[in-house]
Amino acid sequence: MPARPAPGSLLGIEPLDIQDINGMLDAAYRMQKRRPRPLFKEKRVALLFYESSTRTRVSFEYAAKILGATTTLVSATASSIEKGESLIDTGYTLTALGAQAIIIRHPSSGAPHLLSRYVDVPVINAGDGLHEHPSQALLDAYTILRHKKSLKGLRVALIGDIFHSRVARSDVHLLSKAGALVTLCGPDALVPEVATTLAKGVAVTRDLKEAITGADVVIALRIQKERLAGLQLSLDDYISRYQLTAERVRWAKKDAIVMHPGPIIRGLELTADVADAERTVIVEQVKNGVAVRMAILARALGVKH
Ligand code: CP
């Protein structure tokens, strides 16, 4: 059993230093400017998805294929996971079959970390429970940098369900390491006060106008209807206080951009006109996901271990 994750693993943003983050962002930029050669023709990449996904799964798959690697999708349904095979035994099976990197999405926080202690190939976290979604944070930072000179000193407002959002956690870690000022905004039930301790330069407010006024970047997060059941919060109340409308987005700087990791629910966390507005870069985020994930895979597969 390996004592530590294989080099090139990407388990979260929190343990990374800013040089490593910038290295991946620079590599993604080069790869987007100039399509790389299929460097990894002999390599096999397994996509191990215990949860549904469109963007992350497809873009990792395309990224691996552009780099010449062979990919295999293993999902929780239609595999031996359904018969009760454990995560670790599934990892042993995939590496025995020749997988040289495993990309994993799992509903339990920490599942990629556990797997990485048992397999000797890089493990890439494609979203684990309420914990982290590092490739999303990297593509979010990459997208912001296509519109802004630097992340340092930028005012970023994250609106909505911070508590249940692995994207929020990874975004906060990355933006804070890069020197951005992050304001988290939403009702008590979705944005606990303790969120200020997540990282340096993080503030919490319940007031949407305060969060958005003067922001360079506004990021809306998906409201996970299934998670609202036990909370003292109605959707109507959320919409009236926190939905991004065209009028509310105008509180931000003139050149502010609006982002969302997807999938979006039009009419809930944002209106359809905001989703389709010129300053909204949601589709661009999805496109950038391929280049960023190429950089993540190159880091994983290019390292000797
Ligand atoms: N943003 C994101 O993770 O989307 P998917 O669930 O479609 O991968």
Side-chain angles (χ1 to χ4, degrees), residues 48 50 74-97 104 106 114-115:
L48 178 54
Y50 287 79
V74 177
S75 54
T77 52
S79 74
S80 288
I81 297 167
E82 237 181 2
K83 300 176 193 162
E85 189 165 42
S86 73
L87 171 63
I88 291 161
D89 285 326
T90 302
Y92 288 154
T93 303
L94 292 175
T95 49
L97 288 167
I104 174 174
H106 200 286
L114 178 71
L115 179 65

PDB file of all heavy atoms in Angstrom, residues 48 50 74-97 104 106 114-115:
ATOM      1  N   LEU A  48     -13.757   7.181 -12.976  1.00  0.00           N
ATOM      2  CA  LEU A  48     -14.532   6.401 -12.013  1.00  0.00           C
ATOM      3  C   LEU A  48     -15.580   7.328 -11.386  1.00  0.00           C
ATOM      4  O   LEU A  48     -15.277   8.121 -10.496  1.00  0.00           O
ATOM      5  CB  LEU A  48     -13.557   5.850 -10.957  1.00  0.00           C
ATOM      6  CG  LEU A  48     -14.113   5.029  -9.807  1.00  0.00           C
ATOM      7  CD1 LEU A  48     -14.958   3.862 -10.293  1.00  0.00           C
ATOM      8  CD2 LEU A  48     -12.962   4.509  -8.936  1.00  0.00           C
ATOM      9  N   TYR A  50     -18.992   7.850  -9.415  1.00  0.00           N
ATOM     10  CA  TYR A  50     -20.044   7.340  -8.541  1.00  0.00           C
ATOM     11  C   TYR A  50     -21.235   8.309  -8.503  1.00  0.00           C
ATOM     12  O   TYR A  50     -22.218   8.040  -7.821  1.00  0.00           O
ATOM     13  CB  TYR A  50     -19.513   7.185  -7.110  1.00  0.00           C
ATOM     14  CG  TYR A  50     -18.579   6.025  -6.909  1.00  0.00           C
ATOM     15  CD1 TYR A  50     -17.244   6.106  -7.304  1.00  0.00           C
ATOM     16  CD2 TYR A  50     -19.008   4.839  -6.315  1.00  0.00           C
ATOM     17  CE1 TYR A  50     -16.369   5.050  -7.107  1.00  0.00           C
ATOM     18  CE2 TYR A  50     -18.142   3.777  -6.105  1.00  0.00           C
ATOM     19  CZ  TYR A  50     -16.829   3.885  -6.505  1.00  0.00           C
ATOM     20  OH  TYR A  50     -15.959   2.843  -6.315  1.00  0.00           O
ATOM     21  N   VAL A  74     -16.100   4.137 -15.837  1.00  0.00           N
ATOM     22  CA  VAL A  74     -16.735   3.182 -14.929  1.00  0.00           C
ATOM     23  C   VAL A  74     -17.701   3.984 -14.066  1.00  0.00           C
ATOM     24  O   VAL A  74     -17.280   4.882 -13.336  1.00  0.00           O
ATOM     25  CB  VAL A  74     -15.680   2.477 -14.037  1.00  0.00           C
ATOM     26  CG1 VAL A  74     -16.359   1.534 -13.057  1.00  0.00           C
ATOM     27  CG2 VAL A  74     -14.667   1.744 -14.893  1.00  0.00           C
ATOM     28  N   SER A  75     -18.983   3.700 -14.197  1.00  0.00           N
ATOM     29  CA  SER A  75     -19.947   4.446 -13.370  1.00  0.00           C
ATOM     30  C   SER A  75     -20.545   3.497 -12.334  1.00  0.00           C
ATOM     31  O   SER A  75     -20.494   2.270 -12.494  1.00  0.00           O
ATOM     32  CB  SER A  75     -21.032   5.063 -14.250  1.00  0.00           C
ATOM     33  OG  SER A  75     -21.615   4.086 -15.036  1.00  0.00           O
ATOM     34  N   ALA A  76     -21.107   4.098 -11.286  1.00  0.00           N
ATOM     35  CA  ALA A  76     -21.607   3.287 -10.162  1.00  0.00           C
ATOM     36  C   ALA A  76     -22.686   2.315 -10.623  1.00  0.00           C
ATOM     37  O   ALA A  76     -22.777   1.193 -10.124  1.00  0.00           O
ATOM     38  CB  ALA A  76     -22.127   4.196  -9.070  1.00  0.00           C
ATOM     39  N   THR A  77     -23.482   2.756 -11.591  1.00  0.00           N
ATOM     40  CA  THR A  77     -24.428   1.814 -12.174  1.00  0.00           C
ATOM     41  C   THR A  77     -23.731   1.197 -13.392  1.00  0.00           C
ATOM     42  O   THR A  77     -22.810   1.796 -13.940  1.00  0.00           O
ATOM     43  CB  THR A  77     -25.712   2.543 -12.621  1.00  0.00           C
ATOM     44  OG1 THR A  77     -25.326   3.633 -13.446  1.00  0.00           O
ATOM     45  CG2 THR A  77     -26.514   3.041 -11.439  1.00  0.00           C
ATOM     46  N   ALA A  78     -24.151   0.051 -13.795  1.00  0.00           N
ATOM     47  CA  ALA A  78     -23.572  -0.649 -14.954  1.00  0.00           C
ATOM     48  C   ALA A  78     -22.100  -1.003 -14.737  1.00  0.00           C
ATOM     49  O   ALA A  78     -21.299  -0.973 -15.673  1.00  0.00           O
ATOM     50  CB  ALA A  78     -23.726   0.184 -16.229  1.00  0.00           C
ATOM     51  N   SER A  79     -21.716  -1.285 -13.481  1.00  0.00           N
ATOM     52  CA  SER A  79     -20.373  -1.820 -13.227  1.00  0.00           C
ATOM     53  C   SER A  79     -20.486  -2.733 -12.000  1.00  0.00           C
ATOM     54  O   SER A  79     -21.555  -2.829 -11.388  1.00  0.00           O
ATOM     55  CB  SER A  79     -19.381  -0.692 -12.935  1.00  0.00           C
ATOM     56  OG  SER A  79     -19.605  -0.185 -11.631  1.00  0.00           O
ATOM     57  N   SER A  80     -19.376  -3.336 -11.613  1.00  0.00           N
ATOM     58  CA  SER A  80     -19.438  -4.250 -10.459  1.00  0.00           C
ATOM     59  C   SER A  80     -19.567  -3.514  -9.134  1.00  0.00           C
ATOM     60  O   SER A  80     -19.706  -4.147  -8.083  1.00  0.00           O
ATOM     61  CB  SER A  80     -18.220  -5.177 -10.451  1.00  0.00           C
ATOM     62  OG  SER A  80     -18.358  -6.110 -11.494  1.00  0.00           O
ATOM     63  N   ILE A  81     -19.532  -2.186  -9.175  1.00  0.00           N
ATOM     64  CA  ILE A  81     -19.817  -1.406  -7.955  1.00  0.00           C
ATOM     65  C   ILE A  81     -21.242  -1.729  -7.501  1.00  0.00           C
ATOM     66  O   ILE A  81     -21.524  -1.857  -6.311  1.00  0.00           O
ATOM     67  CB  ILE A  81     -19.661   0.108  -8.238  1.00  0.00           C
ATOM     68  CG1 ILE A  81     -18.208   0.418  -8.611  1.00  0.00           C
ATOM     69  CG2 ILE A  81     -20.113   0.941  -7.047  1.00  0.00           C
ATOM     70  CD1 ILE A  81     -17.990   1.794  -9.219  1.00  0.00           C
ATOM     71  N   GLU A  82     -22.129  -1.913  -8.484  1.00  0.00           N
ATOM     72  CA  GLU A  82     -23.527  -2.238  -8.178  1.00  0.00           C
ATOM     73  C   GLU A  82     -23.648  -3.568  -7.444  1.00  0.00           C
ATOM     74  O   GLU A  82     -24.585  -3.798  -6.699  1.00  0.00           O
ATOM     75  CB  GLU A  82     -24.315  -2.313  -9.494  1.00  0.00           C
ATOM     76  CG  GLU A  82     -25.489  -1.385  -9.526  1.00  0.00           C
ATOM     77  CD  GLU A  82     -26.260  -1.507 -10.833  1.00  0.00           C
ATOM     78  OE1 GLU A  82     -25.900  -2.335 -11.703  1.00  0.00           O
ATOM     79  OE2 GLU A  82     -27.224  -0.779 -10.997  1.00  0.00           O
ATOM     80  N   LYS A  83     -22.661  -4.445  -7.673  1.00  0.00           N
ATOM     81  CA  LYS A  83     -22.688  -5.762  -7.004  1.00  0.00           C
ATOM     82  C   LYS A  83     -22.030  -5.710  -5.633  1.00  0.00           C
ATOM     83  O   LYS A  83     -21.879  -6.722  -4.979  1.00  0.00           O
ATOM     84  CB  LYS A  83     -21.951  -6.783  -7.876  1.00  0.00           C
ATOM     85  CG  LYS A  83     -22.549  -6.971  -9.253  1.00  0.00           C
ATOM     86  CD  LYS A  83     -21.683  -7.935 -10.054  1.00  0.00           C
ATOM     87  CE  LYS A  83     -22.071  -7.909 -11.520  1.00  0.00           C
ATOM     88  NZ  LYS A  83     -21.019  -8.489 -12.372  1.00  0.00           N
ATOM     89  N   GLY A  84     -21.540  -4.532  -5.244  1.00  0.00           N
ATOM     90  CA  GLY A  84     -20.986  -4.387  -3.901  1.00  0.00           C
ATOM     91  C   GLY A  84     -19.477  -4.282  -3.850  1.00  0.00           C
ATOM     92  O   GLY A  84     -18.897  -4.278  -2.759  1.00  0.00           O
ATOM     93  N   GLU A  85     -18.796  -4.210  -4.991  1.00  0.00           N
ATOM     94  CA  GLU A  85     -17.336  -4.099  -4.956  1.00  0.00           C
ATOM     95  C   GLU A  85     -16.954  -2.770  -4.306  1.00  0.00           C
ATOM     96  O   GLU A  85     -17.524  -1.718  -4.627  1.00  0.00           O
ATOM     97  CB  GLU A  85     -16.760  -4.179  -6.381  1.00  0.00           C
ATOM     98  CG  GLU A  85     -15.249  -4.292  -6.394  1.00  0.00           C
ATOM     99  CD  GLU A  85     -14.693  -4.735  -7.756  1.00  0.00           C
ATOM    100  OE1 GLU A  85     -15.181  -4.246  -8.788  1.00  0.00           O
ATOM    101  OE2 GLU A  85     -13.778  -5.580  -7.754  1.00  0.00           O
ATOM    102  N   SER A  86     -15.995  -2.814  -3.392  1.00  0.00           N
ATOM    103  CA  SER A  86     -15.628  -1.610  -2.644  1.00  0.00           C
ATOM    104  C   SER A  86     -14.813  -0.657  -3.512  1.00  0.00           C
ATOM    105  O   SER A  86     -14.275  -1.045  -4.559  1.00  0.00           O
ATOM    106  CB  SER A  86     -14.815  -1.979  -1.408  1.00  0.00           C
ATOM    107  OG  SER A  86     -13.510  -2.374  -1.820  1.00  0.00           O
ATOM    108  N   LEU A  87     -14.665   0.573  -3.023  1.00  0.00           N
ATOM    109  CA  LEU A  87     -13.866   1.580  -3.725  1.00  0.00           C
ATOM    110  C   LEU A  87     -12.422   1.081  -3.895  1.00  0.00           C
ATOM    111  O   LEU A  87     -11.829   1.183  -4.975  1.00  0.00           O
ATOM    112  CB  LEU A  87     -13.896   2.891  -2.919  1.00  0.00           C
ATOM    113  CG  LEU A  87     -12.944   3.992  -3.371  1.00  0.00           C
ATOM    114  CD1 LEU A  87     -13.268   4.455  -4.783  1.00  0.00           C
ATOM    115  CD2 LEU A  87     -13.004   5.180  -2.409  1.00  0.00           C
ATOM    116  N   ILE A  88     -11.864   0.538  -2.835  1.00  0.00           N
ATOM    117  CA  ILE A  88     -10.455   0.126  -2.892  1.00  0.00           C
ATOM    118  C   ILE A  88     -10.286  -1.063  -3.843  1.00  0.00           C
ATOM    119  O   ILE A  88      -9.360  -1.101  -4.660  1.00  0.00           O
ATOM    120  CB  ILE A  88      -9.945  -0.181  -1.470  1.00  0.00           C
ATOM    121  CG1 ILE A  88      -9.890   1.157  -0.708  1.00  0.00           C
ATOM    122  CG2 ILE A  88      -8.575  -0.843  -1.484  1.00  0.00           C
ATOM    123  CD1 ILE A  88      -9.855   1.017   0.772  1.00  0.00           C
ATOM    124  N   ASP A  89     -11.194  -2.023  -3.763  1.00  0.00           N
ATOM    125  CA  ASP A  89     -11.095  -3.166  -4.689  1.00  0.00           C
ATOM    126  C   ASP A  89     -11.310  -2.722  -6.134  1.00  0.00           C
ATOM    127  O   ASP A  89     -10.694  -3.259  -7.049  1.00  0.00           O
ATOM    128  CB  ASP A  89     -12.083  -4.272  -4.287  1.00  0.00           C
ATOM    129  CG  ASP A  89     -11.596  -5.026  -3.055  1.00  0.00           C
ATOM    130  OD1 ASP A  89     -10.357  -5.176  -2.922  1.00  0.00           O
ATOM    131  OD2 ASP A  89     -12.424  -5.423  -2.223  1.00  0.00           O
ATOM    132  N   THR A  90     -12.181  -1.724  -6.320  1.00  0.00           N
ATOM    133  CA  THR A  90     -12.367  -1.194  -7.680  1.00  0.00           C
ATOM    134  C   THR A  90     -11.072  -0.537  -8.149  1.00  0.00           C
ATOM    135  O   THR A  90     -10.656  -0.702  -9.304  1.00  0.00           O
ATOM    136  CB  THR A  90     -13.537  -0.186  -7.711  1.00  0.00           C
ATOM    137  OG1 THR A  90     -14.716  -0.853  -7.244  1.00  0.00           O
ATOM    138  CG2 THR A  90     -13.787   0.358  -9.107  1.00  0.00           C
ATOM    139  N   GLY A  91     -10.401   0.176  -7.256  1.00  0.00           N
ATOM    140  CA  GLY A  91      -9.111   0.792  -7.588  1.00  0.00           C
ATOM    141  C   GLY A  91      -8.077  -0.260  -7.953  1.00  0.00           C
ATOM    142  O   GLY A  91      -7.362  -0.129  -8.959  1.00  0.00           O
ATOM    143  N   TYR A  92      -8.011  -1.355  -7.159  1.00  0.00           N
ATOM    144  CA  TYR A  92      -7.066  -2.443  -7.475  1.00  0.00           C
ATOM    145  C   TYR A  92      -7.377  -3.029  -8.851  1.00  0.00           C
ATOM    146  O   TYR A  92      -6.489  -3.336  -9.638  1.00  0.00           O
ATOM    147  CB  TYR A  92      -7.163  -3.565  -6.440  1.00  0.00           C
ATOM    148  CG  TYR A  92      -6.588  -3.243  -5.068  1.00  0.00           C
ATOM    149  CD1 TYR A  92      -7.061  -3.904  -3.936  1.00  0.00           C
ATOM    150  CD2 TYR A  92      -5.572  -2.301  -4.910  1.00  0.00           C
ATOM    151  CE1 TYR A  92      -6.544  -3.632  -2.676  1.00  0.00           C
ATOM    152  CE2 TYR A  92      -5.050  -2.028  -3.648  1.00  0.00           C
ATOM    153  CZ  TYR A  92      -5.542  -2.693  -2.540  1.00  0.00           C
ATOM    154  OH  TYR A  92      -5.030  -2.438  -1.299  1.00  0.00           O
ATOM    155  N   THR A  93      -8.677  -3.180  -9.136  1.00  0.00           N
ATOM    156  CA  THR A  93      -9.090  -3.783 -10.413  1.00  0.00           C
ATOM    157  C   THR A  93      -8.667  -2.893 -11.578  1.00  0.00           C
ATOM    158  O   THR A  93      -8.104  -3.365 -12.571  1.00  0.00           O
ATOM    159  CB  THR A  93     -10.630  -3.983 -10.424  1.00  0.00           C
ATOM    160  OG1 THR A  93     -10.968  -4.797  -9.299  1.00  0.00           O
ATOM    161  CG2 THR A  93     -11.108  -4.651 -11.699  1.00  0.00           C
ATOM    162  N   LEU A  94      -8.920  -1.576 -11.443  1.00  0.00           N
ATOM    163  CA  LEU A  94      -8.593  -0.661 -12.544  1.00  0.00           C
ATOM    164  C   LEU A  94      -7.086  -0.599 -12.787  1.00  0.00           C
ATOM    165  O   LEU A  94      -6.636  -0.593 -13.941  1.00  0.00           O
ATOM    166  CB  LEU A  94      -9.148   0.743 -12.252  1.00  0.00           C
ATOM    167  CG  LEU A  94     -10.674   0.847 -12.261  1.00  0.00           C
ATOM    168  CD1 LEU A  94     -11.120   2.246 -11.851  1.00  0.00           C
ATOM    169  CD2 LEU A  94     -11.231   0.513 -13.649  1.00  0.00           C
ATOM    170  N   THR A  95      -6.300  -0.594 -11.723  1.00  0.00           N
ATOM    171  CA  THR A  95      -4.837  -0.527 -11.930  1.00  0.00           C
ATOM    172  C   THR A  95      -4.327  -1.863 -12.474  1.00  0.00           C
ATOM    173  O   THR A  95      -3.420  -1.890 -13.305  1.00  0.00           O
ATOM    174  CB  THR A  95      -4.085  -0.120 -10.642  1.00  0.00           C
ATOM    175  OG1 THR A  95      -4.541  -0.927  -9.569  1.00  0.00           O
ATOM    176  CG2 THR A  95      -4.325   1.337 -10.313  1.00  0.00           C
ATOM    177  N   ALA A  96      -4.942  -2.970 -12.045  1.00  0.00           N
ATOM    178  CA  ALA A  96      -4.538  -4.281 -12.599  1.00  0.00           C
ATOM    179  C   ALA A  96      -4.821  -4.334 -14.103  1.00  0.00           C
ATOM    180  O   ALA A  96      -4.103  -4.993 -14.867  1.00  0.00           O
ATOM    181  CB  ALA A  96      -5.279  -5.408 -11.876  1.00  0.00           C
ATOM    182  N   LEU A  97      -5.853  -3.622 -14.518  1.00  0.00           N
ATOM    183  CA  LEU A  97      -6.200  -3.598 -15.944  1.00  0.00           C
ATOM    184  C   LEU A  97      -5.367  -2.573 -16.719  1.00  0.00           C
ATOM    185  O   LEU A  97      -5.537  -2.419 -17.924  1.00  0.00           O
ATOM    186  CB  LEU A  97      -7.699  -3.278 -16.104  1.00  0.00           C
ATOM    187  CG  LEU A  97      -8.632  -4.427 -15.679  1.00  0.00           C
ATOM    188  CD1 LEU A  97     -10.071  -3.932 -15.568  1.00  0.00           C
ATOM    189  CD2 LEU A  97      -8.542  -5.583 -16.667  1.00  0.00           C
ATOM    190  N   ILE A 104     -11.722  10.483 -10.244  1.00  0.00           N
ATOM    191  CA  ILE A 104     -12.841   9.967  -9.451  1.00  0.00           C
ATOM    192  C   ILE A 104     -13.782  11.073  -8.982  1.00  0.00           C
ATOM    193  O   ILE A 104     -13.338  12.114  -8.500  1.00  0.00           O
ATOM    194  CB  ILE A 104     -12.332   9.144  -8.227  1.00  0.00           C
ATOM    195  CG1 ILE A 104     -13.515   8.730  -7.334  1.00  0.00           C
ATOM    196  CG2 ILE A 104     -11.265   9.888  -7.434  1.00  0.00           C
ATOM    197  CD1 ILE A 104     -13.149   7.794  -6.199  1.00  0.00           C
ATOM    198  N   HIS A 106     -17.101  11.232  -6.349  1.00  0.00           N
ATOM    199  CA  HIS A 106     -17.715  10.374  -5.331  1.00  0.00           C
ATOM    200  C   HIS A 106     -18.572  11.227  -4.387  1.00  0.00           C
ATOM    201  O   HIS A 106     -18.198  12.350  -4.069  1.00  0.00           O
ATOM    202  CB  HIS A 106     -16.599   9.657  -4.547  1.00  0.00           C
ATOM    203  CG  HIS A 106     -17.059   8.432  -3.837  1.00  0.00           C
ATOM    204  ND1 HIS A 106     -17.825   8.489  -2.689  1.00  0.00           N
ATOM    205  CD2 HIS A 106     -16.882   7.118  -4.118  1.00  0.00           C
ATOM    206  CE1 HIS A 106     -18.085   7.252  -2.283  1.00  0.00           C
ATOM    207  NE2 HIS A 106     -17.532   6.390  -3.137  1.00  0.00           N
ATOM    208  N   LEU A 114      -8.758   8.564   0.172  1.00  0.00           N
ATOM    209  CA  LEU A 114      -8.681   7.166   0.595  1.00  0.00           C
ATOM    210  C   LEU A 114      -8.127   6.309  -0.546  1.00  0.00           C
ATOM    211  O   LEU A 114      -7.170   5.552  -0.360  1.00  0.00           O
ATOM    212  CB  LEU A 114     -10.081   6.677   1.000  1.00  0.00           C
ATOM    213  CG  LEU A 114     -10.160   5.210   1.421  1.00  0.00           C
ATOM    214  CD1 LEU A 114      -9.480   5.006   2.773  1.00  0.00           C
ATOM    215  CD2 LEU A 114     -11.613   4.738   1.498  1.00  0.00           C
ATOM    216  N   LEU A 115      -8.704   6.467  -1.732  1.00  0.00           N
ATOM    217  CA  LEU A 115      -8.247   5.675  -2.883  1.00  0.00           C
ATOM    218  C   LEU A 115      -6.753   5.897  -3.140  1.00  0.00           C
ATOM    219  O   LEU A 115      -6.014   4.945  -3.418  1.00  0.00           O
ATOM    220  CB  LEU A 115      -9.072   6.063  -4.120  1.00  0.00           C
ATOM    221  CG  LEU A 115      -8.709   5.354  -5.418  1.00  0.00           C
ATOM    222  CD1 LEU A 115      -8.992   3.852  -5.318  1.00  0.00           C
ATOM    223  CD2 LEU A 115      -9.481   5.950  -6.607  1.00  0.00           C
TER     224      LEU A 115
END
